Amino acid sequence: MHSTDYLGQLFGLEGKHAFITGASRGLGLAFAEALASAGARVTIGGRKADDLKAAADKLRTAGHSITEAVIDVTDTQSVDQAIAAAETGTAPIDILVNNAGIQRRAPLETFSDADWDALMATNLDGVFKVSRAVVKGMIARQRGSIINVSSVQSVLARPSIAPYAASKGAITMLTKSMAGEWGQHGVRINAIAPGYFKTELNAALVADETFSAWLTGRTPMRRWGEVRELAGAAVFLASDAASFVNGQTLLVDGGITSVL
């Protein structure tokens, strides 16, 4: 076998079905494009049907096999119905990317119960609910890959986002715990922890010259990340190339967590 053929099989996702939450824009859309480019059929999930259709049409125009699923990760009934429909309508789910997440900023001493509850419901509870719905089929088939999307804030704190950091720190331990429970069934659970990337949600920070100067000075690679630079990590963890990688959090951060 030629080395290119071997690598293609190792990293290829042909015949796989991937379900991605929070995939109508930003990092979720980038993950969808990456997995689809590696050969997977991809179901993109999100709360807003119009946004999902626009994202799906963009991906389909590029030649990818895409379906849409309206899903509210905070609502168990919505989750269970969306996962069941995706598996019945497309195929059993081989790859799950738990990307849906929100941010709320405020000094911790003034942070409201409502904002705390909303943030945890999406960032932490949603990962549990969607994974619980998907993993039952993976356990029955004795295979599967779950990728939780964490953050550099899982290991580094900043003022005004303590609840967000707490939710992402919890994802690290939830990832390890899932691996500990489900690894025996051939299911791998890992996390990707992005650093600071140029996305729609970060547009204000990118435009803030003071913040950008601080960030690029703080990051060894001296720049923001580009969303395309998450593609390799996602394909790796989803593919057979990572067949013995389980319970890990892969930081994709330009080195910001490696230096003081």
Side-chain angles (χ1 to χ4, degrees):
M1 182 183 294
H2 296 296
S3 60
T4 53
D5 294 336
Y6 173 70
L7 289 175
Q9 291 181 13
L10 200 60
F11 288 91
L13 300 177
E14 289 81 4
K16 303 292 186 181
H17 177 204
F19 191 104
I20 305 173
T21 67
S24 62
R25 62 177 179 172
L27 299 186
L29 184 56
F31 289 133
E33 185 172 16
L35 298 187
S37 295
R41 289 177 289 178
V42 177
T43 299
I44 57 172
R47 291 179 299 168
K48 299 178 180 178
D50 289 346
D51 291 348
L52 281 174
K53 185 179 185 306
D57 287 345
K58 177 182 177 181
L59 292 170
R60 282 191 285 259
T61 298
H64 301 309
S65 176
I66 306 293
T67 55
E68 305 144 50
V70 175
I71 182 173
D72 179 352
V73 301
T74 71
D75 181 81
T76 299
Q77 183 176 6
S78 173
V79 167
D80 291 346
Q81 288 177 346
I83 297 305
E87 295 213 309
T88 301
T90 300
I93 295 170
D94 304 290
I95 302 157
L96 168 64
V97 182
N98 283 307
N99 174 73
I102 62 173
Q103 176 65 288
R104 297 284 188 273
R105 291 184 171 88
L108 186 57
E109 69 274 14
T110 67
F111 214 88
S112 70
D113 285 356
D115 280 343
W116 174 279
D117 292 344
L119 192 149
M120 293 299 172
T122 299
N123 294 7
L124 183 56
D125 299 353
V127 172
F128 161 66
K129 291 179 179 183
V130 179
S131 297
R132 180 180 60 186
V134 170
V135 81
K136 293 172 184 176
M138 291 181 171
I139 289 173
R141 295 184 294 274
Q142 293 289 290
R143 67 180 187 274
S145 174
I146 297 175
I147 302 170
N148 298 326
V149 179
S150 183
S151 167
V152 70
Q153 262 77 49
S154 65
V155 293
L156 294 176
R158 277 185 58 77
S160 82
I161 58 168
Y164 179 85
S167 73
K168 294 302 184 178
I171 290 298
T172 297
M173 289 311 302
L174 184 58
T175 298
K176 290 178 181 289
S177 298
M178 287 175 170
E181 293 207 24
W182 299 336
Q184 63 184 311
H185 302 294
V187 183
R188 298 181 296 104
I189 303 88
N190 295 287
I192 295 175
Y196 285 87
F197 281 76
K198 291 182 178 178
T199 65
E200 296 170 25
L201 293 178
N202 281 334
L205 293 177
V206 175
D208 185 327
E209 293 182 4
T210 300
F211 183 86
S212 279
W214 170 82
L215 177 66
T216 54
R218 175 74 174 76
T219 304
M221 295 190 75
R222 298 295 187 264
R223 63 178 176 84
W224 285 80
E226 302 286 346
V227 291
R228 59 179 171 75
E229 294 177 295
L230 288 165
V235 171
F236 167 63
L237 290 177
S239 72
D240 288 343
S243 60
F244 203 56
V245 180
N246 201 17
Q248 303 304 305
T249 295
L250 176 57
L251 285 148
V252 186
D253 66 355
I256 196 171
T257 56
S258 299
V259 298
L260 289 172

